[in-house]
Amino acid sequence: MNTYKKIIFADSAGNSRAPMAAELLKECTMKKPLDIQARGIVVLFPEPLNQKAEAVLISNGITLENYMSSQLEEEDFAQDTLVIVMGNSDRQKILDMFKKADANNVQVLTELVGEELEIMDPYGGTLQSYGICYETLNKSIKKLSALLNN
């Protein structure tokens, strides 16, 4: 895998799956230092972490304080930056929205780690659906950290 210095997880609003994924990767032991961030693809105004996502993180021993979603921007795209999304529709939206977005550096998490299903969006769902999303993310992020460490 390319030698990335920055990993940005992006989801629709940047307040549930992306920050959960970012925190999970931060928990992994990495061979090289990585700048790990979360962004929203469309952020009209900064929002705190989704309460159900926060509850799931806390129940798994991860505390994310003072998080506010932020907009993915043109400056976020660089050769040493990998933008990871949760689904193909998000990937296409980014490639359409940003001139500097490179198809090689914008990847769907599950495709990157060799899984078939995309990470479902728990938005509006039950706490249990956020828990399932977390577990799915956790599995994929462990595979991602192994890929990045190769």
Side-chain angles (χ1 to χ4, degrees):
M1 222 182 178
N2 192 345
T3 52
Y4 295 107
K5 292 187 174 129
K6 184 190 265 187
I7 306 280
I8 299 174
F9 290 96
D11 69 3
S12 45
N15 68 348
S16 61
R17 291 174 297 171
M20 282 198 288
E23 290 308 304
L24 282 165
L25 187 56
K26 286 176 186 175
E27 296 279 308
C28 296
T29 304
M30 303 307 295
K31 286 183 181 171
K32 293 184 207 122
L34 271 177
D35 180 4
I36 303 166
Q37 300 179 7
R39 297 274 191 283
I41 297 168
V42 178
V43 178
L44 302 177
F45 52 89
E47 288 184 73
L49 184 63
N50 176 290
Q51 287 182 321
K52 291 176 183 171
E54 184 176 30
V56 168
L57 284 174
I58 289 169
S59 71
N60 285 281
I62 301 172
T63 308
L64 183 54
E65 291 183 21
N66 304 320
Y67 177 84
M68 293 300 276
S69 62
S70 58
Q71 174 69 45
L72 187 64
E73 296 178 358
E74 204 69 56
E75 300 81 58
D76 287 322
F77 297 94
Q79 280 308 112
D80 65 354
T81 301
L82 177 62
V83 177
I84 300 177
V85 295
M86 305 299 151
N88 273 303
S89 61
D90 286 342
R91 181 174 187 266
Q92 193 55 55
K93 194 180 290 182
I94 287 172
L95 293 174
D96 292 344
M97 280 173 67
F98 300 99
K99 288 186 184 97
K100 289 170 84 179
D102 178 338
N104 294 320
N105 289 19
V106 180
Q107 297 288 328
V108 177
L109 175 60
T110 48
E111 287 179 10
L112 195 57
V113 299
E115 294 172 354
E116 289 181 32
L117 300 175
E118 296 179 352
I119 304 289
M120 65 122 187
D121 187 353
Y123 182 76
T126 62
L127 185 58
Q128 184 183 11
S129 62
Y130 280 83
I132 292 166
C133 180
Y134 172 89
E135 293 304 327
T136 311
L137 274 171
N138 195 20
K139 224 183 316 172
S140 298
I141 296 295
K142 284 185 172 132
K143 289 179 183 176
L144 175 66
S145 74
L147 268 179
L148 292 168
N149 279 330
N150 276 344

